[in-house]
């Protein structure tokens, strides 16, 4: 039985520019380091197209290099195989071996494009990726995991420009040129230049390798989606393509992640069928990685013997795809001339092998919890020396009251009191006229019952995520009992008497002139489908705006200085939404908040933006 996931996705697909591409990753060498031949590539591409249960949907190939393995700059035989089998391609150029290797990669590509099959290949190009996980490999976690040589953002930007120039006089003129990396590389602001200069963003994510957090197969979907949403937020208006993901069928347990055929099936159904296929360009890892020997771990949907009968059901039959977090802007992408981790696993082509790639998989580069940016400052302008800046705080009393709305219904409200605070740079004059200076209303914590999700606090934005909102791009835990230990990135918000969490939000330029509200959402346990939380004790939060952003290396002893204390709810209970603070969006900046528990509160939750969102976000209005 063929699932409507595949049938419907392609029934309306009339040209390359209207399709969301689906395919697999293909390395340049076998597991014994022998080169993959023209015959092998041809058989691979043909088999992928004919896989039982897929309705011929997997017709695209992602390559890591344009050079045939074992040669200096001879075009990869995968290029001719793609032309002969009408297989669309996301081409790759290996970018972690210096300028000399880039010269060879460009030479191999342009040689083929200038040849008799160049026009045929150009029509099949989805995009050209300059590098793969190069930025991750030079990150602190990549270095710790001995991931190999990488390349700097400046190098990648330079190489992208060279590739665009090189193809400008070929049949591939106008093809999309971008870069593939782990999601943690994309949300790292030091790599923004690569985003700016890329036509697309390729994202590699493997929940299996995220063993520093709870990562059983039951959390696979949520871990993937959190990484995907964070990458989309960082990418701005650039399309995000899923260039590597999958779950191993065999191998060692990684944290809570167990490789098995049934778990690989579950991940395929939930992430592939339920979220990606037919909606965004996706290259699964992988068709076959077990020839002639089986690596540890192994991700192939077929075993050592190439066959169009997969080792688990790929039909997506019975999988619901009605709910998807893929934004409409990400749903389709344009093919280049014809009209996006955990650290990756598998054979990434020259110079790495399947075993080397798997061994270098990052545990610490796993997606951190996603959060949204809010700009909270005491003034909308930079005051001159001595000029007063007034800030009005609206606070919530501990005892709710009731009132009657326009429909005659009795509703709960939070009594408020207003305090105006005047601050000055260099000292305030004895008398200040409130009407002579600009003021910014910072709404200190307001509490909205879950039923009033569309409500907003005074001068703030709605607490719900139904409108424009931002996700956190970094969550780090700091522990005063281990002051010099850096917790690294996390998916969870964790708060106790000793542990606080810091959230970084990157505020995009598109939020200019708008209001940003830092909100905290805590549904009831029963409302959550893909997340959970543990809550004990009584208390609330104290939120501090920091003077500079945190990093993955931030520890308790290196927390940035506090810009201002925003306070917070005195009591946190499930079924409520909390607007912490609101002010003009700090566009183009990274805003960082430290959130600490008060009273005896202990809370740990998995940050998730599914139907019942949980965690800290920034809403924009």
């Amino acid at each position: 039985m063929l699932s409507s996931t595949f049938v419907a996705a392609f029934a309306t697909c009339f040209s390359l520019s209207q399709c969301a591409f689906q395919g697999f990753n293909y390395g340049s060498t076998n597991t014994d380091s022998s080169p993959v031949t023209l015959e092998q590539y041809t058989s691979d591409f043909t088999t992928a197209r004919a896989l039982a249960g897929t309705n011929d949907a997997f017709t695209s190939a992602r390559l890591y290099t344009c050079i045939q393995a074992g040669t200096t700059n001879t075009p990869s035989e995968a290029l001719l195989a793609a032309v002969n089998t009408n297989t669309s391609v996301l081409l790759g150029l290996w970018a972690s071996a210096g300028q000399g290797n880039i010269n060879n990669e460009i030479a191999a590509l342009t040689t083929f494009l200038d040849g008799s099959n160049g026009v045929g290949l150009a029509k099949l190009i989805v995009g050209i990726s300059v590098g793969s996980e190069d930025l991750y490999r030079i990150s602190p976690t990549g270095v710790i995991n001995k991931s190999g040589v990488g390349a700097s953002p400046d190098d990648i930007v330079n190489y992208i420009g060279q590739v665009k120039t090189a193809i400008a006089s070929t049949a591939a003129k106008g093809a999309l040129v971008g870069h593939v990396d782990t999601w943690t590389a994309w949300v790292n602001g030091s790599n923004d230049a690569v985003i700016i200069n890329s036509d697309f963003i390729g994202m590699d994510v493997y929940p299996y390798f995220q063993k520093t957090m709870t990562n059983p197969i039951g959390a696979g979907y949520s871990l993937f989606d959190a990484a995907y949403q964070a990458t989309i937020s960082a990418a701005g208006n650039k399309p995000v393509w899923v260039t590597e993901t999958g779950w191993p069928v065999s191998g060692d347990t990684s944290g809570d992640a167990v490789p098995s055929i049934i778990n690989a099936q579950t991940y395929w159904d939930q992430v592939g069928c339920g979220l990606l296929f037919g909606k965004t360009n996706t290259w699964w890892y992988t068709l076959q990685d077990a020839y002639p020997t089986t690596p540890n771990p192994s991700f192939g949907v077929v075993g050592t013997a190439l066959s169009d009968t997969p080792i688990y059901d790929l039909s997506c039959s019975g999988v619901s795809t009605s709910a998807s977090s893929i934004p409409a802007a990400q749903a389709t992408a344009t093919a280049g001339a014809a009209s996006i981790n955990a650290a990756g696993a598998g054979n990434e082509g020259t110079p790495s092998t399947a075993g080397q790639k798997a061994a270098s998989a990052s545990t610490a580069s796993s997606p951190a919890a996603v959060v949204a940016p809010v700009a909270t400052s005491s003034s909308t302008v930079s005051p001159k020396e001595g000029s007063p800046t007034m800030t009005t705080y609206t606070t919530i009393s501990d005892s709710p009251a009731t009132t009657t709305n326009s429909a005659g219904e009795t509703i709960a409200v939070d009594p408020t009191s207003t305090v105006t605070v005047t601050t000055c740079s260099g000292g305030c004059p004895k008398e200040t006229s409130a009407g002579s200076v600009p003021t910014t209303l910072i709404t200190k914590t307001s509490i909205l019952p879950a039923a009033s999700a569309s409500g907003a606090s005074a001068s703030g934005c709605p607490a719900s995520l139904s409108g424009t909102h931002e996700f956190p791009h970094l969550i780090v835990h700091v522990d005063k009992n281990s002051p010099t230990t850096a917790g690294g990135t996390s998916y969870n918000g964790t708060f106790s008497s000793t542990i606080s969490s810091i959230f970084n939000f990157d505020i995009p330029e598109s939020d200019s002139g708008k209001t940003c509200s830092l909100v905290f959402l805590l549904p009831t346990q029963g409302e959550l489908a893909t997340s959970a939380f543990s809550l004990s004790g009584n208390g609330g939060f104290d939120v501090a705006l920091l003077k500079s952003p945190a990093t993955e290396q931030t520890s308790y002893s290196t927390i940035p200085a506090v810009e201002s204390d925003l306070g917070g709810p005195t009591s946190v209970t499930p079924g409520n939404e909390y607007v912490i603070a609101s002010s003009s969006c700090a566009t183009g900046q990274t805003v960082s908040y430290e959130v600490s528990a008060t009273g005896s509160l202990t809370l740990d939750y998995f940050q998730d933006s599914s139907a019942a969102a949980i965690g800290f976000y920034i809403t924009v209005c």
Side-chain angles (χ1 to χ4, degrees), residues 94 96 132-150 182 343-344 348 351-352 356-363 365:
W94 192 257
S96 285
S132 178
E133 299 187 4
D134 312 85
L135 303 175
Y136 159 71
R137 286 194 290 275
I138 66 168
S139 70
T141 50
V143 173
I144 290 172
N145 285 285
K146 300 179 180 179
S147 303
V149 178
T182 63
E348 199 175 79
S352 63
Q356 291 169 332
K357 183 81 182 298
S360 67
S362 163
T363 57
S365 69

Side-chain angles (χ1 to χ4, degrees), residues 364 368-371 472-479 485-495 499-504 546 548-556 558-560 592-596:
V370 283
V371 182
H473 288 163
L474 178 68
I475 298 176
V476 295
H477 301 156
V478 292
D479 187 347
T485 300
T489 60
S490 175
Y491 270 125
N492 286 33
T494 302
F495 316 95
I499 299 174
S500 59
S501 294
I502 301 177
F503 300 83
N504 280 8
L546 303 180
S548 59
T551 70
E552 293 179 19
Q553 287 71 49
T554 296
S555 65
Y556 184 82
T558 60
I559 298 173
S592 192
Y593 301 91
E594 181 188 8
V595 182
S596 305

Side-chain angles (χ1 to χ4, degrees), residues 10 19 156 196 223 252-253 266 268 342 355 375 397 410 423 430 435 441 451 459 504 533 549 552 570 587 612:
F10 293 94
C19 292
I156 297 299
I196 292 171
L223 291 173
D252 295 335
T253 296
T266 297
W268 175 277
S397 74
T410 299
T423 59
K430 291 183 178 181
L441 179 69
S459 298
N504 280 8
F533 64 85
E552 293 179 19
T570 58
T587 54

Side-chain angles (χ1 to χ4, degrees), residues 592-605:
S592 192
Y593 301 91
E594 181 188 8
V595 182
S596 305
T598 62
S600 61
L601 178 75
T602 297
L603 173 62
D604 182 79
Y605 66 86

Side-chain angles (χ1 to χ4, degrees), residues 512-537:
S512 178
K514 300 177 182 179
T515 295
C516 282
S517 293
L518 177 66
V519 303
F520 176 67
L521 312 179
L522 185 62
T524 61
Q525 201 78 255
E527 293 175 295
L528 296 170
T530 58
S531 183
F533 64 85
S534 61
L535 173 66
S536 63

Side-chain angles (χ1 to χ4, degrees), residues 77-338:
E77 293 181 0
L79 307 184
L80 181 57
V83 174
N84 290 342
T85 59
N86 196 35
T87 298
S88 64
V89 286
L90 173 56
L91 298 176
L93 285 74
W94 192 257
S96 285
Q99 183 63 58
N101 192 73
I102 283 292
N103 292 341
N104 288 330
E105 289 279 4
I106 292 175
L109 175 58
T110 55
T111 294
F112 192 93
L113 288 171
D114 291 338
S116 59
N117 290 292
V119 173
L121 178 66
K123 293 178 180 179
L124 296 168
I125 295 176
V126 182
I128 301 173
S129 173
V130 180
S132 178
E133 299 187 4
D134 312 85
L135 303 175
Y136 159 71
R137 286 194 290 275
I138 66 168
S139 70
T141 50
V143 173
I144 290 172
N145 285 285
K146 300 179 180 179
S147 303
V149 178
S152 70
D154 289 344
D155 286 337
I156 297 299
V157 169
N158 182 19
Y159 297 158
I160 287 174
Q162 292 180 42
V163 171
K164 289 183 176 182
T165 298
I167 65 172
S169 59
T170 71
K173 178 181 180 179
L176 303 181
V177 182
H179 176 68
V180 168
D181 226 298
T182 63
W183 86 274
T184 48
W186 291 124
V187 301
N188 185 332
S190 64
N191 297 323
D192 284 351
V194 180
I195 295 177
I196 292 171
N197 287 275
S198 293
D199 298 323
F200 67 87
I201 304 302
M203 180 193 73
D204 295 353
V205 178
Y206 290 91
Y208 165 77
F209 287 115
Q210 296 169 211
K211 64 183 181 181
T212 59
M213 57 192 68
T214 303
N215 67 332
I217 184 60
Y221 177 96
S222 295
L223 291 173
F224 175 89
D225 192 43
Y228 184 67
Q229 295 298 336
T231 304
I232 289 174
S233 180
N237 63 353
K238 301 298 177 70
V240 176
W241 301 347
V242 179
T243 42
E244 283 185 43
T245 196
W247 194 277
V249 296
S250 65
D252 295 335
T253 296
S254 174
D256 301 307
V258 179
S260 70
I261 291 175
I262 191 171
N263 286 348
Q265 170 86 72
T266 297
Y267 191 78
W268 175 277
D269 287 343
Q270 293 181 347
V271 174
C273 304
L275 185 62
L276 300 176
F277 299 153
K279 303 178 184 74
T280 192
N281 291 352
T282 303
W283 291 268
W284 201 261
Y285 195 83
T286 188
L287 176 68
Q288 182 189 45
D289 62 358
Y291 178 81
T293 58
T294 302
N296 179 5
S298 176
F299 288 76
V301 302
V302 301
T304 301
L306 191 64
S307 170
D308 59 13
T309 301
I311 60 179
Y312 55 87
D313 183 10
L314 306 182
S315 68
C316 298
S317 57
V319 177
S320 172
T321 58
S322 58
S324 170
S325 63
I326 306 251
Q330 301 290 342
T332 59
T334 304

